[in-house]
Every structure is written in C-alpha cells, then in structure tokens.
Amino acid sequence: MRQRTALALISAAGLGLALWGAAGAGLAGSDSGEATYLGSYSWHLDDPVFGGLSGLEISSDGTGFTAISDRGFRIDGRLARQAGQLTGVDMQPISPLRTPANKPVSGRQTDAEGLAIGPGGVSFVAFEGLHRVWAYPTPQGRATRLPRHADFQHLQYNAALEALAIDHRGWLYTLPERSGKMTRPFPLYRYRDGQWDKELSVPRRGYFLPVGADFGPDGRLYLLERDFLGFGFRSRVRSFAITANAIADEREILVTGTGRHDNLEGIAVWRDAEGRIRLTMISDDNFRVFQRTEFVEYALAKSG
C-alpha cells in the first residue's frame, strides 16, 4: 500500500537506514511454522516507475510471473532458477494498467494492490483509493468494471482491498487490510454469479494485517499478512479450507522474524517439480531507497 500509516513512522533517515541494514544483513529472528525457507532474489531496475510491487501471480510451472504496482503498472516476465534457487528475472516492458476508457490509470485510480488471474487468462486487479475490482481480458487492454459491494465505498482510504484470489470455480475473494477492531474478523467478500456477498470472514490473530492471497493447487486459500514494528517487518502466512458456506481448518504456515525480509505484499502458491507446495512472495519497496524489491520463496513438505 502506498504511503502506509505505519511507514510514516519512519520519519528519520537514520531509522530508515537501520531498517534497510537490519533486513539486508539478516539480523532477524528465526522462522516458525511448517514452511522451509528456500532463498531470495533482490531485483533492481533503473526505471523511475519500477517499485511498489504489491500483487503477484506465478504460472503453474513456477517460471512465468505477473506483478502489479501501487502506481498502476503491470510487469510480466520469467524467473530463472538453478537447482531450485532463484537466480534472475527476464521481464517484458513495464506497461500501465488501463481504464475502461482505454487510458492509463492516473491519480486516485492507480493504487493496484491485489492480483488474480483466472483459468482463461483474464486478470483481475483490486485497487485502493477508489476501492474496486476491475477485470482485464487481455494483459495490455482496457479494463472492464465489476460491480462494487456497498461496503467498498466506506472502507478506509489506505487500508482497503489489499488481497485478491480466485478459486477453481472462478469465484473471486477479497478482503480489506483492516477490520476496525482487534477482536473483529476481516470480512471476506466473494464475487460469484455477477455479485458480491459477505457471508465469510477471516479470524483476526494479533497485529498481523492481510496484504496478499492466493489459492494453492491443493484448493486451500493462502493468506499473506504483514506486521510493522517500527524498525522492521515480519510476515505470516495462514491457510484455510473454503467451502460454499464456511471458512475452516485454519493453519499457521509461516511466521518470519522481524527484519528477515522486506515488506512482503504479494503471494503466489504453486507446486514445484518435487511435488511440494511452494510460496513465492514479492516485496513492496514503497519507492524508498532504504527498502528493496525482492522475491522470497518457501516450500511445504510434500504430503503423502
């Protein structure tokens, strides 16, 4: 999310550099949960529009990727790996997300946060600022508006539709970054049959806030959450079983130590050649010199 309230606390350059240094040096607590860390890849690009990457999708073989930024841009490319480790990025030109009028998004339209790509290749993007979800039948084409739930217009300006996921039926799921109270669950909005419902909710656990989501090849919903402690980020991944009427079987997959990674906001879940569920995540550098864009990967042990 652009200009986060939490990040506004970093008002001094010294504190910002401390954040960057702690993360870069790996001065962080150990991970917990069943996911095993595989590696990271820091991605640098000399382009003023590069950065702020908040949504991520990965192809089923783990090579192709699409990312969106909170300044309204889309990047498509391929990931290089050696012995299962990320080693590089080969990307296509950065392109602007477009409005239904086929113009590049601008102003309050730009803050793209959540990304989901359906089986037919249609991309769906959740935006903050003007809280909405748009569909993109083609990667560089014009957007198609989806209806808005009545709640969307009342969501907080900078803490709204952060995550977006699509299941095997083509149903979309999105939720806001904040629920309003520590004891209040996050409403999980679901789009099916041309309208949104609010029959499901995700339990809130502690100070973590949702920033990314994806359905894995196992059919479970994986939710990436982030907590900012004033000098570094920590991340959590939970997974859930989703039925037509309920959300159940909550599992804590991963909790990272503070400063272990940068500001992870996008998550894609796929199955690798060894049969493991792999979590690929990407960080939003907020266009700040003391942060970085990085891909981070974890894997779950092969079941069965």
Side-chain angles (χ1 to χ4, degrees), residues 102-121:
N102 205 25
K103 297 179 180 180
V105 293
S106 61
R108 292 184 62 198
Q109 295 179 320
T110 60
D111 198 359
E113 295 288 345
L115 173 67
I117 300 179

Side-chain angles (χ1 to χ4, degrees), residues 67-69 71-74 95-99 103-106 109-112 115 125 127 134 136 139-141 143:
I68 56 170
S69 81
R71 288 189 180 174
F73 290 91
R74 170 177 174 140
S95 59
L97 294 169
R98 307 189 76 84
T99 69
K103 297 179 180 180
V105 293
S106 61
Q109 295 179 320
T110 60
D111 198 359
L115 173 67
V125 178
F127 293 85
W134 281 352
Y136 288 87
Q140 279 77 47

Side-chain angles (χ1 to χ4, degrees), residues 269-282:
V269 185
W270 53 285
R271 194 180 301 277
D272 65 18
E274 298 178 27
R276 302 173 300 177
I277 295 289
R278 192 177 287 218
L279 315 175
T280 302
M281 294 168 280
I282 197 167

Side-chain angles (χ1 to χ4, degrees), residues 173-190:
Y173 300 77
T174 188
L175 70 169
E177 185 179 9
R178 295 186 181 275
S179 64
K181 292 183 180 180
M182 290 292 295
T183 56
R184 180 182 298 163
F186 300 99
L188 185 62
Y189 299 97
R190 176 176 52 190

Side-chain angles (χ1 to χ4, degrees), residues 129-194:
L130 296 175
H131 313 311
R132 68 203 187 278
V133 177
W134 281 352
Y136 288 87
T138 60
Q140 279 77 47
R142 68 178 66 200
T144 299
R145 291 186 177 91
L146 268 64
R148 296 173 62 188
H149 191 279
D151 287 359
F152 290 179
Q153 63 181 322
H154 303 298
L155 297 175
Q156 294 184 47
Y157 172 72
N158 205 34
L161 304 180
E162 278 283 320
L164 186 67
I166 189 167
D167 69 12
H168 69 282
R169 295 163 292 200
W171 296 357
L172 290 169
Y173 300 77
T174 188
L175 70 169
E177 185 179 9
R178 295 186 181 275
S179 64
K181 292 183 180 180
M182 290 292 295
T183 56
R184 180 182 298 163
F186 300 99
L188 185 62
Y189 299 97
R190 176 176 52 190
Y191 184 76
R192 54 179 177 169
D193 301 326

Side-chain angles (χ1 to χ4, degrees), residues 201-301:
S201 62
V202 175
R204 183 166 179 168
R205 310 291 187 202
Y207 291 97
F208 284 95
L209 301 174
V211 289
D214 194 23
F215 278 91
D218 54 359
R220 295 179 65 83
L221 176 66
Y222 288 78
L223 181 66
L224 171 63
E225 300 170 291
R226 184 263 323 283
D227 185 23
F228 179 66
L229 299 179
F231 56 90
F233 300 93
R234 58 178 183 152
S235 300
R236 179 173 71 186
V237 177
R238 291 186 288 164
S239 75
F240 305 86
I242 305 288
T243 69
N245 302 306
I247 181 168
D249 191 23
E250 176 184 347
R251 302 177 189 175
E252 188 174 84
I253 303 299
L254 170 69
V255 179
T256 72
T258 304
R260 170 76 150 147
H261 306 297
D262 208 283
N263 177 31
L264 298 180
E265 286 209 13
I267 182 171
V269 185
W270 53 285
R271 194 180 301 277
D272 65 18
E274 298 178 27
R276 302 173 300 177
I277 295 289
R278 192 177 287 218
L279 315 175
T280 302
M281 294 168 280
I282 197 167
S283 66
D284 176 358
D285 68 355
N286 291 285
F287 295 92
R288 296 173 187 264
V289 296
F290 48 81
Q291 290 185 255
R292 67 194 185 281
T293 298
E294 63 174 345
F295 284 98
V296 174
E297 291 196 319
Y298 284 78
L300 306 183

Side-chain angles (χ1 to χ4, degrees), residues 43 59 63-67 75-79 89-92:
W43 185 16
S59 62
T63 58
F65 78 90
T66 299
I75 304 176
D76 293 277
R78 300 187 69 81
L79 300 173
V89 176
D90 182 16
M91 55 170 283
Q92 299 174 20

